[in-house]
Amino acid sequence: MRLAAVDPDASAAVRVIRYFDRLTEAGAGLEAIVRGAAVLTGCAARLTDDERRLALRVEPDGRPVGPPGPPDRAWLSADVEPDGGAVLWLEHPGVAGPVEAVVLERAVAAARVVLARTRGRAPARAGDDQAAVEVLLDPGASPEARRHAART
């Protein structure tokens, strides 16, 4: 409470960190992470991975919508993987505010954990897509996201 009175941005950052840490500890899937990014920032969020044909998009109210069209390069984004394969986008043009910056950082870290968990089990074969399987089996994923994952 004192931190919120002294520095609202720092208080919000601590809440964001705690939120994504809990998602990670609970073994949440990619859609839950993207949903958290959207709800916490108040703008639509998406995770795209063209190589694996993975595309998730969630509205600010937490409602998944998909499959999304191409992202706008003016939106805030961060690479989930060092090679730039997967990218988390906030549909918000311009410079990131303190909350958006922390959400991007923590959501990317959480997504990285999911991708490591789903892709790190066995060498991928042509046609295998562990991230799509994760979405397909995620009980919290929307029916539309599950259908899209099943097609990949």
Side-chain angles (χ1 to χ4, degrees):
M1 293 300 247
R2 286 189 205 148
L3 183 58
V6 174
D7 189 342
D9 288 339
S11 177
V14 169
R15 286 193 307 273
V16 167
I17 292 166
R18 188 172 35 225
Y19 179 84
F20 284 107
D21 283 354
R22 286 181 180 155
L23 282 180
T24 301
E25 290 167 6
L30 293 173
E31 187 170 330
I33 293 164
V34 176
R35 181 180 306 110
V39 170
L40 291 170
T41 60
C43 63
R46 60 176 70 196
L47 185 128
T48 59
D49 186 340
D50 294 336
E51 178 182 317
R52 294 171 183 90
R53 297 184 313 241
L54 179 64
L56 300 170
R57 183 175 183 271
V58 178
E59 292 287 335
D61 64 4
R63 184 175 39 91
V65 179
D72 183 334
R73 298 291 174 193
W75 293 338
L76 301 173
S77 67
D79 291 341
V80 176
E81 300 174 315
D83 64 1
V87 180
L88 180 70
W89 300 85
L90 297 178
E91 295 181 11
H92 180 289
V95 178
V99 172
E100 292 89 3
V102 174
V103 166
L104 270 174
E105 176 187 320
R106 300 308 292 186
V108 161
R112 206 172 278 139
V113 169
V114 172
L115 293 178
R117 179 179 73 221
T118 59
R119 295 184 184 149
R121 292 183 184 146
R125 296 176 306 190
D128 285 354
D129 187 347
Q130 294 297 325
V133 171
E134 175 87 10
V135 172
L136 184 64
L137 299 176
D138 183 351
S142 69
E144 188 171 319
R146 292 171 112 180
R147 279 191 297 276
H148 179 71
R151 287 190 298 266
T152 59

